[in-house]
Amino acid sequence: MIKLITLAAGQGTRLRPLTDHVPKCMVEVNGRPILETQIETAKKAQIDEMHVICGYCSDVIQYDFVTKHLNPEYDTTNMVYSLFCAEEIMDDDVIISYGDIIYQASVLEKLRDSKADISVVVDMEWKRYWEARMDNPLDDAETLKFHQDGTIAELGKKASSLDEIQGQYIGLIKFSKEILPEIRQVYHALDKSKKYQGKSFEQMYMTTFLQLLADEVCPISAVRIENGWIEVDEPGDLDHVSFYESGGAK
């Protein structure tokens, strides 16, 4: 069995006024809410269960295929905290998806089929997508470097040059059933009074947590794609749906 957990607790203030009355995951792309597209993609990829971490305007999310979990601290916490609001169902292979992305079924299927204990989707053609979205990709893109064996050595830091970006993490992760007990152990052992890349425990970035897992638990496998997805972080991102419709898993 495999479960998909979508992290969709936040409002998405950069998308206002589109998020004045709905959560970010309910903003429409091609006439359909992001979450509805994720549900359709999950069904195509034969995902057994889908869970959504809700917070802001959670009552708007009403779909038969999903089980909702509440992050009551959604306005003061971040992705990792949200993920562990559904810890009780993390007892099988799980795929974790950000709530502001859509992706082709081929992308999700390639991640689903990964045999590694920890896998993340990496867009190897990230630069053409970022160049379409902004004048300077370095204003937003983060580091991602590979070891010689192709596993991920570093991700999620501020990049000072394009040489530090060999691909781009897109917000799709898979944890195997076998590694989940160790991942939970690492999370609960973290010092809650400590800063993690400048953020509190509650506001820790997912990339920071993934780097901890890469350093302390096991290698992270890269599931490589070439576009076939988009992020909806601000209204201008709605102009780049072509990057979702083209490319994808190879």
Side-chain angles (χ1 to χ4, degrees):
M1 177 177 285
I2 189 160
K3 302 175 181 180
L4 173 63
I5 302 174
T6 293
L7 307 178
Q11 176 182 4
T13 55
R14 287 188 293 271
L15 276 165
R16 287 175 176 163
L18 299 176
T19 55
D20 281 350
H21 305 291
V22 299
K24 196 176 185 181
C25 68
M26 294 299 288
V27 170
E28 292 189 358
V29 178
N30 282 350
R32 301 181 69 185
I34 293 169
L35 185 58
E36 192 170 309
T37 298
Q38 285 193 5
I39 291 169
E40 178 183 290
T41 302
K43 289 178 177 179
K44 286 180 180 177
Q46 299 180 316
I47 300 298
D48 299 293
E49 293 181 17
M50 187 167 175
H51 299 259
V52 180
I53 315 300
C54 306
Y56 173 75
C57 288
S58 61
D59 57 311
V60 175
I61 298 173
Q62 298 290 339
Y63 292 102
D64 292 339
F65 186 64
V66 305
T67 300
K68 297 197 295 185
H69 305 259
L70 182 66
N71 175 2
E73 311 296 332
Y74 69 88
D75 56 343
T76 59
T77 60
N78 213 323
M79 297 286 197
V80 182
Y81 188 95
S82 278
L83 172 62
F84 280 84
C85 290
E87 184 176 3
E88 71 274 9
I89 61 93
M90 292 166 59
D91 56 0
D92 225 312
D93 288 359
V94 296
I95 289 176
I96 299 138
S97 171
Y98 288 6
D100 62 355
I101 59 174
I102 58 173
Y103 33 83
Q104 294 180 7
S106 63
V107 172
L108 189 58
E109 288 162 358
K110 191 171 184 182
L111 178 62
R112 178 201 66 196
D113 294 342
S114 173
K115 302 303 182 185
D117 279 326
I118 303 178
S119 309
V120 302
V121 175
V122 176
D123 190 353
M124 302 303 293
E125 292 293 338
W126 70 275
K127 191 166 178 281
R128 63 188 177 193
Y129 177 35
W130 258 254
E131 285 178 338
R133 298 170 71 196
M134 59 199 69
D135 293 334
N136 182 9
L138 286 176
D139 289 342
D140 179 76
E142 298 174 335
T143 63
L144 194 144
K145 303 175 185 177
F146 297 114
H147 290 296
Q148 286 190 343
D149 65 359
T151 59
I152 294 174
E154 178 187 305
L155 78 167
K157 296 179 181 177
K158 175 65 178 174
S160 57
S161 75
L162 293 177
D163 293 338
E164 296 180 305
I165 310 172
Q166 295 179 283
Q168 196 67 188
Y169 164 77
I170 77 165
L172 269 177
I173 309 156
K174 181 184 177 187
F175 294 149
S176 75
K177 177 182 180 179
E178 290 73 23
I179 206 67
L180 275 169
E182 195 166 351
I183 290 172
R184 289 197 296 266
Q185 183 178 7
V186 167
Y187 176 74
H188 290 295
L190 292 174
D191 184 347
K192 293 179 176 56
S193 66
K194 183 181 172 182
K195 294 285 187 180
Y196 296 89
Q197 288 196 17
K199 295 293 183 179
S200 68
F201 170 81
E202 293 80 10
Q203 294 184 328
M204 183 195 314
Y205 293 134
M206 185 64 74
T207 49
T208 302
F209 187 56
L210 288 171
Q211 187 71 64
L212 283 170
L213 296 178
D215 294 341
E216 299 179 15
V217 176
C218 70
I220 294 182
S221 175
V223 173
R224 302 180 185 217
I225 64 168
E226 296 178 3
N227 301 144
W229 72 286
I230 61 166
E231 174 188 25
V232 183
D233 192 49
E234 56 185 42
D237 287 330
L238 297 172
D239 297 331
H240 304 297
V241 177
S242 61
F243 287 92
Y244 159 66
E245 296 168 339
S246 62
K250 303 295 182 182

